[in-house]
mmCIF file of all heavy atoms in Angstrom:
data_model
loop_
_atom_site.group_PDB
_atom_site.id
_atom_site.type_symbol
_atom_site.label_atom_id
_atom_site.label_comp_id
_atom_site.label_asym_id
_atom_site.label_seq_id
_atom_site.Cartn_x
_atom_site.Cartn_y
_atom_site.Cartn_z
ATOM 1 N N ASP A 215 23.430 7.000 8.569
ATOM 2 C CA ASP A 215 22.346 7.643 9.329
ATOM 3 C C ASP A 215 21.697 8.797 8.570
ATOM 4 O O ASP A 215 21.630 9.945 9.041
ATOM 5 C CB ASP A 215 22.865 8.142 10.681
ATOM 6 C CG ASP A 215 23.049 7.010 11.682
ATOM 7 O OD1 ASP A 215 22.203 6.088 11.683
ATOM 8 O OD2 ASP A 215 24.033 7.027 12.436
ATOM 9 N N PRO A 216 21.146 8.529 7.384
ATOM 10 C CA PRO A 216 20.508 9.612 6.608
ATOM 11 C C PRO A 216 19.343 10.268 7.339
ATOM 12 O O PRO A 216 19.046 11.441 7.104
ATOM 13 C CB PRO A 216 20.035 8.911 5.334
ATOM 14 C CG PRO A 216 19.915 7.458 5.720
ATOM 15 C CD PRO A 216 21.017 7.222 6.703
ATOM 16 N N GLN A 217 18.698 9.544 8.231
ATOM 17 C CA GLN A 217 17.555 10.105 8.961
ATOM 18 C C GLN A 217 17.953 11.284 9.842
ATOM 19 O O GLN A 217 17.116 12.149 10.145
ATOM 20 C CB GLN A 217 16.868 9.013 9.801
ATOM 21 C CG GLN A 217 17.582 8.601 11.075
ATOM 22 C CD GLN A 217 18.742 7.642 10.840
ATOM 23 O OE1 GLN A 217 18.990 7.222 9.705
ATOM 24 N NE2 GLN A 217 19.435 7.257 11.901
ATOM 25 N N ASN A 218 19.219 11.348 10.215
ATOM 26 C CA ASN A 218 19.665 12.442 11.093
ATOM 27 C C ASN A 218 19.749 13.784 10.372
ATOM 28 O O ASN A 218 19.907 14.831 11.013
ATOM 29 C CB ASN A 218 21.016 12.104 11.726
ATOM 30 C CG ASN A 218 20.906 10.984 12.750
ATOM 31 O OD1 ASN A 218 19.807 10.625 13.178
ATOM 32 N ND2 ASN A 218 22.033 10.419 13.133
ATOM 33 N N SER A 219 19.631 13.765 9.049
ATOM 34 C CA SER A 219 19.647 15.020 8.285
ATOM 35 C C SER A 219 18.237 15.553 8.049
ATOM 36 O O SER A 219 18.065 16.576 7.385
ATOM 37 C CB SER A 219 20.336 14.797 6.928
ATOM 38 O OG SER A 219 19.562 13.950 6.084
ATOM 39 N N LEU A 220 17.235 14.881 8.607
ATOM 40 C CA LEU A 220 15.843 15.212 8.317
ATOM 41 C C LEU A 220 15.111 15.687 9.566
ATOM 42 O O LEU A 220 15.473 15.333 10.685
ATOM 43 C CB LEU A 220 15.121 13.976 7.752
ATOM 44 C CG LEU A 220 15.643 13.424 6.429
ATOM 45 C CD1 LEU A 220 15.115 12.019 6.189
ATOM 46 C CD2 LEU A 220 15.244 14.337 5.270
ATOM 47 N N GLU A 221 14.066 16.496 9.345
ATOM 48 C CA GLU A 221 13.152 16.891 10.411
ATOM 49 C C GLU A 221 11.861 16.091 10.252
ATOM 50 O O GLU A 221 11.386 15.879 9.127
ATOM 51 C CB GLU A 221 12.839 18.384 10.339
ATOM 52 C CG GLU A 221 14.034 19.292 10.534
ATOM 53 C CD GLU A 221 14.490 19.364 11.997
ATOM 54 O OE1 GLU A 221 13.826 18.756 12.855
ATOM 55 O OE2 GLU A 221 15.505 20.030 12.243
ATOM 56 N N PHE A 222 11.289 15.667 11.383
ATOM 57 C CA PHE A 222 10.124 14.785 11.334
ATOM 58 C C PHE A 222 8.978 15.304 12.198
ATOM 59 O O PHE A 222 9.194 15.981 13.202
ATOM 60 C CB PHE A 222 10.482 13.392 11.872
ATOM 61 C CG PHE A 222 11.478 12.629 11.039
ATOM 62 C CD1 PHE A 222 12.829 12.700 11.330
ATOM 63 C CD2 PHE A 222 11.064 11.830 9.984
ATOM 64 C CE1 PHE A 222 13.758 12.001 10.582
ATOM 65 C CE2 PHE A 222 11.978 11.118 9.232
ATOM 66 C CZ PHE A 222 13.332 11.199 9.527
ATOM 67 N N ILE A 223 7.767 14.919 11.801
ATOM 68 C CA ILE A 223 6.633 14.838 12.711
ATOM 69 C C ILE A 223 6.296 13.359 12.779
ATOM 70 O O ILE A 223 6.036 12.720 11.753
ATOM 71 C CB ILE A 223 5.434 15.669 12.238
ATOM 72 C CG1 ILE A 223 5.776 17.163 12.300
ATOM 73 C CG2 ILE A 223 4.200 15.369 13.073
ATOM 74 C CD1 ILE A 223 4.661 18.080 11.857
ATOM 75 N N HIS A 224 6.341 12.801 13.976
ATOM 76 C CA HIS A 224 6.231 11.355 14.169
ATOM 77 C C HIS A 224 4.834 11.032 14.673
ATOM 78 O O HIS A 224 4.382 11.601 15.677
ATOM 79 C CB HIS A 224 7.284 10.910 15.186
ATOM 80 C CG HIS A 224 7.635 9.473 15.118
ATOM 81 N ND1 HIS A 224 8.479 8.865 16.032
ATOM 82 C CD2 HIS A 224 7.298 8.500 14.240
ATOM 83 C CE1 HIS A 224 8.639 7.598 15.716
ATOM 84 N NE2 HIS A 224 7.924 7.347 14.643
ATOM 85 N N VAL A 225 4.130 10.132 14.001
ATOM 86 C CA VAL A 225 2.720 9.866 14.291
ATOM 87 C C VAL A 225 2.516 8.405 14.645
ATOM 88 O O VAL A 225 2.870 7.503 13.876
ATOM 89 C CB VAL A 225 1.828 10.243 13.092
ATOM 90 C CG1 VAL A 225 0.349 10.049 13.446
ATOM 91 C CG2 VAL A 225 2.087 11.684 12.649
ATOM 92 N N ALA A 226 1.923 8.163 15.822
ATOM 93 C CA ALA A 226 1.571 6.816 16.261
ATOM 94 C C ALA A 226 0.103 6.800 16.679
ATOM 95 O O ALA A 226 -0.518 7.849 16.853
ATOM 96 C CB ALA A 226 2.463 6.384 17.425
ATOM 97 N N GLY A 227 -0.444 5.616 16.879
ATOM 98 C CA GLY A 227 -1.836 5.491 17.312
ATOM 99 C C GLY A 227 -2.459 4.249 16.725
ATOM 100 O O GLY A 227 -1.876 3.591 15.856
ATOM 101 N N THR A 228 -3.642 3.910 17.184
ATOM 102 C CA THR A 228 -4.340 2.725 16.673
ATOM 103 C C THR A 228 -5.144 3.068 15.430
ATOM 104 O O THR A 228 -5.010 2.430 14.392
ATOM 105 C CB THR A 228 -5.266 2.147 17.758
ATOM 106 O OG1 THR A 228 -4.526 1.915 18.956
ATOM 107 C CG2 THR A 228 -5.871 0.825 17.280
ATOM 108 N N ASN A 229 -5.976 4.075 15.530
ATOM 109 C CA ASN A 229 -6.763 4.549 14.390
ATOM 110 C C ASN A 229 -6.558 6.046 14.225
ATOM 111 O O ASN A 229 -6.212 6.746 15.181
ATOM 112 C CB ASN A 229 -8.250 4.249 14.603
ATOM 113 C CG ASN A 229 -8.558 2.767 14.557
ATOM 114 O OD1 ASN A 229 -8.212 2.083 13.603
ATOM 115 N ND2 ASN A 229 -9.186 2.264 15.606
ATOM 116 N N GLY A 230 -6.772 6.526 13.007
ATOM 117 C CA GLY A 230 -6.657 7.954 12.737
ATOM 118 C C GLY A 230 -5.286 8.404 12.263
ATOM 119 O O GLY A 230 -5.118 9.561 11.855
ATOM 120 N N LYS A 231 -4.302 7.488 12.286
ATOM 121 C CA LYS A 231 -2.946 7.886 11.869
ATOM 122 C C LYS A 231 -2.914 8.324 10.413
ATOM 123 O O LYS A 231 -2.348 9.368 10.078
ATOM 124 C CB LYS A 231 -1.957 6.717 12.039
ATOM 125 C CG LYS A 231 -1.725 6.260 13.446
ATOM 126 C CD LYS A 231 -0.520 5.334 13.551
ATOM 127 C CE LYS A 231 -0.587 4.094 12.670
ATOM 128 N NZ LYS A 231 -1.672 3.170 13.050
ATOM 129 N N GLY A 232 -3.485 7.499 9.537
ATOM 130 C CA GLY A 232 -3.383 7.775 8.104
ATOM 131 C C GLY A 232 -3.973 9.115 7.712
ATOM 132 O O GLY A 232 -3.364 9.884 6.961
#
Side-chain angles (χ1 to χ4, degrees):
D215 284 322
Q217 76 281 357
N218 290 346
S219 68
L220 297 164
E221 297 285 356
F222 294 93
I223 293 180
H224 201 186
V225 184
T228 306
N229 292 306
K231 295 193 303 295

